[in-house]
Amino acid sequence: MSQSRLHTRETLLSFLQEHGVDCVTHNHPAVSIVEEQANHVGHLDGCVSKNLFLKDKKNRLYVVSTLTTTQVDLKALSARLGLGKGGVRVAPEESLQSVLQVPPTCVSPFALINESARSVALLLDVGFQKQSRVFFHPLSNDVSTAVTTENLDKFLKAIGREPSYVDFEAVVVVGKDQPPDLASLVPKEAAKETESQQGTTELKVTAVAPATKQAAAAPPKKTKAVVPKTEGVVRVDVCSVLASVLDDAVAAAVAGIHSSTLENEKKQAVAEAVDAAIRHRLAPDLESLLMTFKNTVYAEGFKSATESQRLSSAR
């Protein structure tokens, strides 16, 4: 089968049928969070999954699919993947559109059927293997499809992938004598980014770069968050917001240093150290948090648009 086309719910379900992947599909109202999905299918045979779309500093992408009860420590996962500093964080909504090509609420192993997602790594929860069936959205958030792990494996092999199951809650100490146990699951190539993504990456480098001596000597100028509007839709530039928050934090800290009784030379040295420390320690977590908020907003917008379209069609 050719995967060059963009798949829909219908073509995915047809693919499952053609390749002997046994599944049960349930229609329900559009949902944006796992709890809402569980309200509609949680009483049925099987368990609901939660799915994360992650990105590392080299633009390599990962789908992490787990039980809703499984705790995923991104720092521990990054160490087990051998990614070093930076590790993995929530991928931007733009990557969902250009790589997985699904709405924010529809991340699942099924999204890997699209050719654009061929370089995305998939990490599955070993806990799935103890469940009778697992529910995933089949590229649409108003449907849930339940499959056994045997049939999930059959689907993955049909699209040319070897299933990889991970115990995310295992305590694995990575060190000199213990190499990263999940390093083999890191994608061999980065995702192909669009022009808009490349521009965002450049902004990110500017936002977290260590301050120069001249910049540390005086509070940095506040960077206004860029929120351009296109056809009535607000699009948030996460990196501009990140830069603005970091600039405010640095300015507050440096102002306190300049009001102290330290000698000017020491003030400057301390200001530089504080500036670099704040940007280095806060930037990754703040960026991940902002991406989560942004993706949630997009998901709610998608949900509202779908509901409005449904109501219009019903009239």
Side-chain angles (χ1 to χ4, degrees), residues 188-231:
K188 291 183 170 50
E189 60 179 303
K192 293 182 179 179
E193 297 191 353
T194 62
E195 291 182 4
S196 61
Q197 286 177 293
Q198 292 171 351
T200 300
T201 302
E202 292 172 2
L203 264 174
K204 175 185 170 184
V205 173
T206 302
V208 300
T212 60
K213 290 186 177 181
Q214 183 178 1
K221 294 181 179 180
K222 185 176 179 179
T223 304
K224 293 184 178 180
V226 179
V227 187
K229 293 184 178 180
T230 305
E231 299 180 355

Side-chain angles (χ1 to χ4, degrees), residues 207-255:
V208 300
T212 60
K213 290 186 177 181
Q214 183 178 1
K221 294 181 179 180
K222 185 176 179 179
T223 304
K224 293 184 178 180
V226 179
V227 187
K229 293 184 178 180
T230 305
E231 299 180 355
V233 179
V234 177
R235 298 190 181 280
V236 180
D237 185 335
V238 167
C239 290
S240 293
V241 176
L242 176 63
S244 179
V245 173
L246 289 175
D247 285 347
D248 283 346
V250 171
V254 171

Side-chain angles (χ1 to χ4, degrees), residues 6-17 25-30 101-102 106 110 113-114 136-145 306:
L6 175 62
H7 281 270
T8 64
R9 174 183 67 183
E10 290 73 21
T11 61
L12 168 64
L13 294 178
S14 294
F15 177 85
L16 297 179
Q17 185 177 13
T25 297
H26 301 272
N27 295 318
H28 53 69
Q101 301 193 64
V102 296
C106 298
F110 289 140
I113 192 173
N114 285 321
F136 302 104
H137 286 312
L139 312 185
S140 179
N141 68 346
D142 57 355
V143 181
S144 292
T145 295
T306 302

